[in-house]
Amino acid sequence: MVALRHAEQKDETPLAPALDSEPMNIGLALGSGSARGWAHIGIIRALAENGIEPHIICGSSIGALVGAVHASGRLDEFEAWVRALDWWSIVRFMDPALAGGGFMEGEHLMKVLSEHLFGGDIQDLPVTFATVATNLRTGQELWLQQGSLLEAVRASIALPGLFTPVRHGDSWLVDGGLVNPVPVSLCRSLGADVIIAVNLNGDIVGRRLTTYQAVASEPRNASPALWDQFTERLQQGLKESNLGRLMARREPPGPSMFDVIASSINIMQDRITRSRMAGDPPDILLAPRLGKIGLLEFDRAEEAIDEGRRAVERMLPAIRPLLKPGSVA
């Protein structure tokens, strides 16, 4: 099981690192953002190419997943797997939940991750690592720093409505992005002297709602023949139903249920992120421009990874002065 620790509530102003001090501990705070989280891969790659390797990695939601893979030394394999994802492979990971609490159990995904990407306990990793989860009953922020790495990640990515909550003792744990979308405070608590934070949600609010309709267009990499058969049957069945005839007489519908949920999550995480970082700002903030990538568009990894790299390149002039020679691993 995962060892839990309640988040410490501190009102601290981060001190600028002293350039003549001992080698600094670099913390990397990887934020939540669902499919936009593939940008973390490009960010980690670009930082490493510039000689910046974090000593402390903290992640919330999708940031916990990518951070766990990197801390386990399996980023190469993970990136290849992510880049190969297409619409149909994503559908195959969707194991419907039978008991409610979420659309998916997530067991299929966790099995793949445990077999090919990471496992073991958090405390055995070569770098300091921790994730954030939320106590569904109390709303408390919880820091997961020991125990099963897989269970900690599963709890941190349990997006309400999508994944079922994770039971831990008498508690039910859900997505860490509900309380701490960019875990700067956790990085600082673990001893980071310089914190590089990644906010995936900086440009998502205010974007035009685009109704998600599975029959509207052929998904990327789908088989044309299979897709044509699927959409033809679905559309024909809809036309012949009473609901279809009723809809034909109505005005164009408003936002879909998916749009409402996704946009609400975006607004919530944006507002919480702004509030948390106003009181506890990182030394460097990376903000990939990912507003065009939807909540569940996990098949757009190449775009997200490339934008992650660009986010680092844009901030290199600000990053380098904070890191004296010998301060990186």
Side-chain angles (χ1 to χ4, degrees), residues 29-41 43 60-63 66 181-182 197-205 266 269-270 273 277 285-293 304 307-308 311:
L30 301 176
S32 62
S34 200
R36 294 183 291 272
W38 298 154
H40 290 317
I41 298 172
I43 286 169
S60 183
S61 195
I62 191 70
V66 178
V182 185
V198 184
N199 178 17
L200 303 176
N201 304 311
D203 67 339
I204 55 176
V205 175
N266 288 343
Q269 292 195 339
D270 175 69
T273 300
M277 289 199 297
L285 179 62
L286 302 177
R289 297 164 184 168
L290 301 164
K292 61 185 179 298
I293 296 180
E307 175 54 24

Side-chain angles (χ1 to χ4, degrees), residues 86-206:
D86 58 21
W87 191 85
W88 289 111
S89 60
I90 294 168
V91 169
R92 285 194 290 270
F93 283 121
M94 295 183 180
D95 47 351
L98 301 179
F103 177 67
M104 294 188 295
E105 291 284 357
E107 297 305 317
H108 188 182
L109 175 61
M110 290 298 106
K111 182 178 180 182
V112 171
L113 294 175
S114 66
E115 290 178 349
H116 302 291
L117 298 172
F118 60 78
D121 290 333
I122 296 173
Q123 60 269 28
D124 296 330
L125 293 171
V127 298
T128 301
F129 177 78
T131 72
V132 180
T134 305
N135 187 315
L136 186 60
R137 183 177 62 84
T138 66
Q140 284 183 300
E141 174 184 345
L142 300 174
W143 294 347
L144 285 60
Q145 302 172 248
Q146 298 181 27
S148 168
L149 180 60
L150 193 68
E151 288 186 24
V153 170
R154 174 64 179 84
S156 191
I157 67 171
L159 186 66
L162 182 63
F163 285 114
T164 55
V166 174
R167 190 179 189 92
H168 185 88
D170 295 330
S171 302
W172 288 98
L173 306 183
V174 293
D175 198 298
L178 297 179
V179 289
N180 197 352
V182 185
V184 174
S185 56
L186 178 51
C187 260
R188 200 176 307 285
S189 173
L190 294 177
D193 300 307
V194 175
I195 298 176
I196 301 172
V198 184
N199 178 17
L200 303 176
N201 304 311
D203 67 339
I204 55 176
V205 175

Side-chain angles (χ1 to χ4, degrees), residues 254-271:
S256 69
M257 181 177 69
F258 180 85
D259 267 336
V260 172
I261 293 173
S263 297
S264 298
I265 291 172
N266 288 343
I267 293 169
M268 175 196 70
Q269 292 195 339
D270 175 69
R271 297 299 183 256

